[in-house]
Amino acid sequence: MTDEAAFWDGIAQKYARDPIKDMASYQYTLERTRSYLTAGSNVLEVGCGTGTSALLLARSAGRILACDISGAMIEIARTKLRESGAPKNVSFEVAPLSGDHLPHGTFDMVTAFNVLHLLRDLDGALAAIAERVRPGGFFISKTACLADSGFLFLKPVISLMGLVGKAPHVLFLSRKTLQASLRAHGFEIVESGDFPRRPPRHFVVARRLD
């Protein structure tokens, strides 16, 4: 088990109990995501946590395969699936966000909500995602862009906490850097915005070019 997986396993129960802090922003970005889905859409969600978003999107898609690095998170997601009454077109797997571990094949849409800023290898992750989005398909993400916030002073604090296992690895991304990275991996930006604005959680809809 990696250090990252162990960290998220350790906080999985607390994570599942914590309420969503900005429900209006969360619901809005889910609704924008639904607008790009069809009844036949084959979707891969990476960094799915305890599965809430996948379950809420299930009725708008054909199939959703949701993955997370944390086995404890996935067990909670599977319990939610059994108890939710959601359509049985959702499945959950343990898989880190990397080319070697994500499910193979192509998808109409890949989603990544609140996970890209937690990666050690953003470039490698985007390469793996690009391989799995069909030409003309969509990658939809929402990412904390802390380099564009007033939280830069926390960077050394978070780094120190990470060294002793009290915080995850955090990338201090900017909106500009994130969008440039998406374009470098063959995507065009078709929609973007910050929901919420402070600190900015940057929502991006990117289409895979041919």
Side-chain angles (χ1 to χ4, degrees):
M1 180 186 295
T2 65
D3 291 343
E4 286 86 358
F7 174 82
W8 293 108
D9 281 353
I11 68 164
Q13 293 294 333
K14 180 181 183 301
Y15 181 92
R17 291 192 302 269
D18 284 348
I20 294 169
K21 292 181 175 60
D22 188 331
M23 184 59 73
S25 291
Y26 178 69
Q27 291 178 338
Y28 178 78
T29 52
L30 279 186
E31 193 56 40
R32 292 307 305 143
T33 302
R34 285 189 188 97
S35 73
Y36 291 91
L37 291 169
T38 70
S41 293
N42 187 23
V43 180
L44 173 67
E45 181 179 0
V46 296
C48 70
T50 59
T52 299
S53 296
L55 294 172
L56 290 173
L57 292 172
R59 298 185 189 279
S60 301
R63 175 176 176 261
I64 299 179
L65 173 56
C67 303
D68 197 272
I69 193 173
S70 166
M73 295 275 193
I74 291 299
E75 283 306 309
I76 293 170
R78 288 170 176 163
T79 298
K80 286 184 180 180
L81 176 60
R82 290 193 297 270
E83 297 176 350
S84 68
K88 303 307 179 186
N89 60 341
V90 182
S91 58
F92 295 101
E93 291 186 8
V94 179
L97 209 176
S98 71
D100 292 336
H101 295 97
L102 286 180
H104 293 285
T106 55
F107 297 82
D108 301 302
M109 180 186 292
V110 175
T111 63
F113 300 124
N114 299 308
V115 66
L116 296 183
H117 64 290
L118 300 173
L119 300 175
R120 293 185 181 276
D121 183 8
L122 178 62
D123 186 67
L126 291 178
I129 288 166
E131 289 177 356
R132 287 158 176 82
V133 180
R134 65 167 176 80
F138 295 97
F139 174 48
I140 299 183
S141 62
K142 187 174 178 178
T143 308
C145 288
L146 297 176
D148 295 332
S149 74
F151 290 83
L152 275 174
F153 72 94
L154 290 176
K155 188 173 182 178
V157 177
I158 293 173
S159 295
L160 181 60
M161 291 175 67
L163 290 175
V164 296
K166 298 298 184 182
H169 175 78
V170 177
L171 287 174
F172 278 68
L173 289 169
S174 69
R175 303 172 186 88
K176 182 177 180 180
T177 297
L178 177 61
Q179 291 202 12
S181 295
L182 289 169
R183 293 188 180 97
H185 285 281
F187 292 100
E188 63 173 350
I189 310 301
V190 298
E191 180 179 342
S192 65
D194 297 331
F195 310 102
R197 288 182 176 274
R198 296 181 181 177
R201 296 271 177 172
H202 196 51
F203 177 73
V204 180
V205 179
R207 181 186 290 113
R208 177 70 193 277
L209 299 172
D210 293 340

PDB file of all heavy atoms in Angstrom, residues 180-193:
ATOM      1  N   ALA A 180      -3.402  25.019 -19.404  1.00  0.00           N
ATOM      2  CA  ALA A 180      -2.293  24.769 -20.334  1.00  0.00           C
ATOM      3  C   ALA A 180      -1.928  23.288 -20.358  1.00  0.00           C
ATOM      4  O   ALA A 180      -1.630  22.725 -21.428  1.00  0.00           O
ATOM      5  CB  ALA A 180      -1.082  25.612 -19.954  1.00  0.00           C
ATOM      6  N   SER A 181      -1.956  22.640 -19.203  1.00  0.00           N
ATOM      7  CA  SER A 181      -1.644  21.212 -19.143  1.00  0.00           C
ATOM      8  C   SER A 181      -2.687  20.394 -19.899  1.00  0.00           C
ATOM      9  O   SER A 181      -2.346  19.430 -20.594  1.00  0.00           O
ATOM     10  CB  SER A 181      -1.580  20.752 -17.682  1.00  0.00           C
ATOM     11  OG  SER A 181      -0.511  21.381 -17.003  1.00  0.00           O
ATOM     12  N   LEU A 182      -3.950  20.769 -19.776  1.00  0.00           N
ATOM     13  CA  LEU A 182      -4.998  20.060 -20.512  1.00  0.00           C
ATOM     14  C   LEU A 182      -4.804  20.214 -22.013  1.00  0.00           C
ATOM     15  O   LEU A 182      -4.917  19.241 -22.775  1.00  0.00           O
ATOM     16  CB  LEU A 182      -6.365  20.596 -20.098  1.00  0.00           C
ATOM     17  CG  LEU A 182      -6.813  20.219 -18.680  1.00  0.00           C
ATOM     18  CD1 LEU A 182      -8.047  21.016 -18.280  1.00  0.00           C
ATOM     19  CD2 LEU A 182      -7.107  18.726 -18.594  1.00  0.00           C
ATOM     20  N   ARG A 183      -4.504  21.410 -22.458  1.00  0.00           N
ATOM     21  CA  ARG A 183      -4.278  21.625 -23.900  1.00  0.00           C
ATOM     22  C   ARG A 183      -3.068  20.830 -24.392  1.00  0.00           C
ATOM     23  O   ARG A 183      -3.081  20.280 -25.498  1.00  0.00           O
ATOM     24  CB  ARG A 183      -4.094  23.116 -24.181  1.00  0.00           C
ATOM     25  CG  ARG A 183      -5.355  23.943 -23.946  1.00  0.00           C
ATOM     26  CD  ARG A 183      -5.164  25.385 -24.420  1.00  0.00           C
ATOM     27  NE  ARG A 183      -6.358  26.174 -24.187  1.00  0.00           N
ATOM     28  CZ  ARG A 183      -6.535  26.977 -23.126  1.00  0.00           C
ATOM     29  NH1 ARG A 183      -5.558  27.098 -22.220  1.00  0.00           N
ATOM     30  NH2 ARG A 183      -7.651  27.644 -22.977  1.00  0.00           N
ATOM     31  N   ALA A 184      -2.040  20.743 -23.567  1.00  0.00           N
ATOM     32  CA  ALA A 184      -0.841  20.009 -23.957  1.00  0.00           C
ATOM     33  C   ALA A 184      -1.111  18.521 -24.139  1.00  0.00           C
ATOM     34  O   ALA A 184      -0.377  17.839 -24.863  1.00  0.00           O
ATOM     35  CB  ALA A 184       0.260  20.213 -22.907  1.00  0.00           C
ATOM     36  N   HIS A 185      -2.174  18.032 -23.516  1.00  0.00           N
ATOM     37  CA  HIS A 185      -2.522  16.621 -23.638  1.00  0.00           C
ATOM     38  C   HIS A 185      -3.670  16.380 -24.615  1.00  0.00           C
ATOM     39  O   HIS A 185      -4.306  15.315 -24.583  1.00  0.00           O
ATOM     40  CB  HIS A 185      -2.854  16.048 -22.259  1.00  0.00           C
ATOM     41  CG  HIS A 185      -1.637  15.825 -21.419  1.00  0.00           C
ATOM     42  ND1 HIS A 185      -0.816  14.734 -21.572  1.00  0.00           N
ATOM     43  CD2 HIS A 185      -1.077  16.583 -20.445  1.00  0.00           C
ATOM     44  CE1 HIS A 185       0.190  14.820 -20.717  1.00  0.00           C
ATOM     45  NE2 HIS A 185       0.055  15.932 -20.018  1.00  0.00           N
ATOM     46  N   GLY A 186      -3.908  17.336 -25.497  1.00  0.00           N
ATOM     47  CA  GLY A 186      -4.831  17.111 -26.605  1.00  0.00           C
ATOM     48  C   GLY A 186      -6.273  17.483 -26.345  1.00  0.00           C
ATOM     49  O   GLY A 186      -7.165  17.003 -27.051  1.00  0.00           O
ATOM     50  N   PHE A 187      -6.519  18.362 -25.386  1.00  0.00           N
ATOM     51  CA  PHE A 187      -7.874  18.792 -25.088  1.00  0.00           C
ATOM     52  C   PHE A 187      -8.073  20.253 -25.484  1.00  0.00           C
ATOM     53  O   PHE A 187      -7.134  21.052 -25.439  1.00  0.00           O
ATOM     54  CB  PHE A 187      -8.185  18.651 -23.596  1.00  0.00           C
ATOM     55  CG  PHE A 187      -8.250  17.230 -23.105  1.00  0.00           C
ATOM     56  CD1 PHE A 187      -7.172  16.658 -22.446  1.00  0.00           C
ATOM     57  CD2 PHE A 187      -9.399  16.479 -23.293  1.00  0.00           C
ATOM     58  CE1 PHE A 187      -7.244  15.349 -21.974  1.00  0.00           C
ATOM     59  CE2 PHE A 187      -9.474  15.167 -22.835  1.00  0.00           C
ATOM     60  CZ  PHE A 187      -8.390  14.601 -22.179  1.00  0.00           C
ATOM     61  N   GLU A 188      -9.309  20.589 -25.835  1.00  0.00           N
ATOM     62  CA  GLU A 188      -9.684  21.994 -25.971  1.00  0.00           C
ATOM     63  C   GLU A 188     -10.686  22.330 -24.870  1.00  0.00           C
ATOM     64  O   GLU A 188     -11.531  21.507 -24.515  1.00  0.00           O
ATOM     65  CB  GLU A 188     -10.295  22.287 -27.340  1.00  0.00           C
ATOM     66  CG  GLU A 188     -11.602  21.556 -27.629  1.00  0.00           C
ATOM     67  CD  GLU A 188     -12.248  22.008 -28.928  1.00  0.00           C
ATOM     68  OE1 GLU A 188     -11.781  23.010 -29.501  1.00  0.00           O
ATOM     69  OE2 GLU A 188     -13.223  21.360 -29.359  1.00  0.00           O
ATOM     70  N   ILE A 189     -10.575  23.523 -24.312  1.00  0.00           N
ATOM     71  CA  ILE A 189     -11.449  23.947 -23.229  1.00  0.00           C
ATOM     72  C   ILE A 189     -12.745  24.478 -23.833  1.00  0.00           C
ATOM     73  O   ILE A 189     -12.724  25.399 -24.642  1.00  0.00           O
ATOM     74  CB  ILE A 189     -10.787  25.034 -22.371  1.00  0.00           C
ATOM     75  CG1 ILE A 189      -9.371  24.619 -21.941  1.00  0.00           C
ATOM     76  CG2 ILE A 189     -11.661  25.358 -21.163  1.00  0.00           C
ATOM     77  CD1 ILE A 189      -9.291  23.353 -21.154  1.00  0.00           C
ATOM     78  N   VAL A 190     -13.874  23.904 -23.421  1.00  0.00           N
ATOM     79  CA  VAL A 190     -15.157  24.348 -23.955  1.00  0.00           C
ATOM     80  C   VAL A 190     -16.007  25.056 -22.893  1.00  0.00           C
ATOM     81  O   VAL A 190     -16.968  25.743 -23.229  1.00  0.00           O
ATOM     82  CB  VAL A 190     -15.957  23.179 -24.576  1.00  0.00           C
ATOM     83  CG1 VAL A 190     -15.197  22.585 -25.741  1.00  0.00           C
ATOM     84  CG2 VAL A 190     -16.275  22.108 -23.550  1.00  0.00           C
ATOM     85  N   GLU A 191     -15.655  24.917 -21.633  1.00  0.00           N
ATOM     86  CA  GLU A 191     -16.392  25.588 -20.565  1.00  0.00           C
ATOM     87  C   GLU A 191     -15.517  25.605 -19.325  1.00  0.00           C
ATOM     88  O   GLU A 191     -14.813  24.641 -19.040  1.00  0.00           O
ATOM     89  CB  GLU A 191     -17.696  24.839 -20.263  1.00  0.00           C
ATOM     90  CG  GLU A 191     -18.547  25.459 -19.170  1.00  0.00           C
ATOM     91  CD  GLU A 191     -19.833  24.703 -18.919  1.00  0.00           C
ATOM     92  OE1 GLU A 191     -20.262  23.905 -19.777  1.00  0.00           O
ATOM     93  OE2 GLU A 191     -20.422  24.902 -17.837  1.00  0.00           O
ATOM     94  N   SER A 192     -15.564  26.718 -18.592  1.00  0.00           N
ATOM     95  CA  SER A 192     -14.813  26.772 -17.340  1.00  0.00           C
ATOM     96  C   SER A 192     -15.424  27.824 -16.420  1.00  0.00           C
ATOM     97  O   SER A 192     -16.138  28.719 -16.858  1.00  0.00           O
ATOM     98  CB  SER A 192     -13.325  27.077 -17.581  1.00  0.00           C
ATOM     99  OG  SER A 192     -13.162  28.375 -18.122  1.00  0.00           O
ATOM    100  N   GLY A 193     -15.138  27.696 -15.146  1.00  0.00           N
ATOM    101  CA  GLY A 193     -15.610  28.651 -14.150  1.00  0.00           C
ATOM    102  C   GLY A 193     -15.198  28.202 -12.771  1.00  0.00           C
ATOM    103  O   GLY A 193     -14.721  27.065 -12.588  1.00  0.00           O
TER     104      GLY A 193
END
